[in-house]
Amino acid sequence: MKYNVLITGSNGFIGKNLYHSLKNNKNLNNVYKFSRESSESDLVEFIDKSEIIFHFAATNRSENKDDFTENNEKLTKKICAELIKSKKEKKIIFTSS
Protein backbone atom coordinates (compact mmCIF):
# COMPACT_ATOMS: atom_id res chain seq x y z
CA MET A 1 0.00 0.00 0.00
CA LYS A 2 1.25 3.47 -0.87
CA TYR A 3 0.61 6.31 1.56
CA ASN A 4 -0.19 10.00 1.32
CA VAL A 5 1.75 12.19 3.73
CA LEU A 6 1.08 15.72 5.01
CA ILE A 7 3.86 17.92 6.35
CA THR A 8 2.78 21.03 8.27
CA GLY A 9 5.47 23.67 8.60
CA SER A 10 6.78 22.52 5.23
CA ASN A 11 8.82 25.70 4.70
CA GLY A 12 10.60 25.39 8.05
CA PHE A 13 13.97 23.72 8.53
CA ILE A 14 12.68 20.30 9.60
CA GLY A 15 9.67 20.25 7.29
CA LYS A 16 11.64 21.32 4.22
CA ASN A 17 14.32 18.70 4.81
CA LEU A 18 11.74 15.99 5.47
CA TYR A 19 9.93 16.91 2.24
CA HIS A 20 13.13 16.58 0.21
CA SER A 21 13.82 13.21 1.86
CA LEU A 22 10.33 11.87 1.15
CA LYS A 23 9.39 13.34 -2.23
CA ASN A 24 10.97 10.50 -4.24
CA ASN A 25 10.07 7.68 -1.84
CA LYS A 26 8.50 4.88 -3.89
CA ASN A 27 6.24 3.86 -0.95
CA LEU A 28 4.41 7.20 -1.03
CA ASN A 29 1.75 8.45 -3.42
CA ASN A 30 1.83 12.13 -2.49
CA VAL A 31 3.58 14.40 -0.05
CA TYR A 32 1.37 17.41 0.71
CA LYS A 33 2.95 20.61 2.01
CA PHE A 34 1.13 22.97 4.38
CA SER A 35 2.73 26.31 5.27
CA ARG A 36 1.72 29.84 6.26
CA GLU A 37 0.94 30.51 2.60
CA SER A 38 -1.63 27.66 2.55
CA SER A 39 -5.30 28.13 3.30
CA GLU A 40 -7.44 26.48 5.96
CA SER A 41 -9.31 24.65 3.21
CA ASP A 42 -5.95 23.27 1.99
CA LEU A 43 -5.33 21.95 5.50
CA VAL A 44 -8.72 20.23 5.66
CA GLU A 45 -8.23 18.70 2.20
CA PHE A 46 -4.69 17.49 2.95
CA ILE A 47 -5.71 15.95 6.30
CA ASP A 48 -8.56 14.13 4.58
CA LYS A 49 -6.26 12.74 1.88
CA SER A 50 -3.36 11.76 4.16
CA GLU A 51 -2.68 8.64 6.19
CA ILE A 52 0.41 10.07 7.90
CA ILE A 53 0.77 13.63 9.23
CA PHE A 54 4.01 15.24 10.36
CA HIS A 55 2.94 18.30 12.36
CA PHE A 56 5.92 20.64 12.54
CA ALA A 57 4.19 24.00 12.05
CA ALA A 58 4.73 26.46 14.86
CA THR A 59 5.85 29.95 15.77
CA ASN A 60 8.96 29.98 17.93
CA ARG A 61 10.10 33.59 17.44
CA SER A 62 7.74 36.55 17.27
CA GLU A 63 7.35 40.01 18.70
CA ASN A 64 3.58 39.44 18.77
CA LYS A 65 2.54 37.06 21.56
CA ASP A 66 -0.77 36.35 19.78
CA ASP A 67 1.21 34.59 17.03
CA PHE A 68 2.05 31.80 19.48
CA THR A 69 -1.61 31.19 20.31
CA GLU A 70 -2.76 31.46 16.70
CA ASN A 71 -0.01 29.43 15.04
CA ASN A 72 0.71 26.87 17.75
CA GLU A 73 -2.33 26.23 19.92
CA LYS A 74 -5.15 27.01 17.47
CA LEU A 75 -3.54 25.23 14.52
CA THR A 76 -2.92 22.09 16.57
CA LYS A 77 -6.53 22.18 17.84
CA LYS A 78 -7.76 22.55 14.24
CA ILE A 79 -5.73 19.55 13.13
CA CYS A 80 -7.02 17.50 16.08
CA ALA A 81 -10.62 18.50 15.34
CA GLU A 82 -10.24 17.41 11.71
CA LEU A 83 -8.72 14.11 12.81
CA ILE A 84 -11.64 13.50 15.17
CA LYS A 85 -14.13 14.23 12.36
CA SER A 86 -12.34 11.86 10.02
CA LYS A 87 -13.55 8.28 9.93
CA LYS A 88 -10.15 7.10 8.70
CA GLU A 89 -7.29 5.92 10.90
CA LYS A 90 -4.29 8.22 10.62
CA LYS A 91 -0.88 8.45 12.21
CA ILE A 92 0.37 11.81 13.45
CA ILE A 93 3.95 12.69 14.35
CA PHE A 94 3.98 15.90 16.40
CA THR A 95 6.94 17.92 17.55
CA SER A 96 7.04 20.95 19.79
CA SER A 97 9.59 23.01 21.65
Side-chain angles (χ1 to χ4, degrees):
M1 177 177 178
K2 290 191 172 191
Y3 298 98
N4 293 314
V5 172
L6 166 60
I7 302 171
T8 70
S10 61
N11 287 339
F13 179 79
I14 296 171
K16 190 181 300 184
N17 283 288
L18 178 62
Y19 174 77
H20 288 293
S21 294
L22 296 179
K23 70 180 179 178
N24 296 317
N25 186 312
K26 303 291 185 227
N27 295 315
L28 302 176
N29 279 329
N30 297 296
V31 180
Y32 301 108
K33 296 167 38 174
F34 180 82
S35 66
R36 286 188 174 107
E37 292 77 32
S38 305
S39 68
E40 188 171 315
S41 63
D42 290 335
L43 180 64
V44 172
E45 176 187 347
F46 296 158
I47 290 172
D48 184 56
K49 291 180 176 180
S50 298
E51 289 83 30
I52 303 168
I53 300 166
F54 291 91
H55 179 32
F56 299 144
T59 295
N60 58 13
R61 285 180 232 111
S62 179
E63 297 295 321
N64 183 354
K65 292 189 182 215
D66 292 337
D67 287 345
F68 295 98
T69 301
E70 193 67 33
N71 300 324
N72 298 355
E73 181 182 344
K74 287 184 180 180
L75 178 60
T76 300
K77 284 182 179 182
K78 175 68 176 166
I79 292 169
C80 291
E82 290 302 320
L83 290 171
I84 290 167
K85 284 197 296 191
S86 174
K87 301 296 183 198
K88 303 172 192 169
E89 184 175 315
K90 300 174 187 281
K91 297 184 185 322
I92 183 166
I93 293 87
F94 173 71
T95 185
S96 180
S97 59

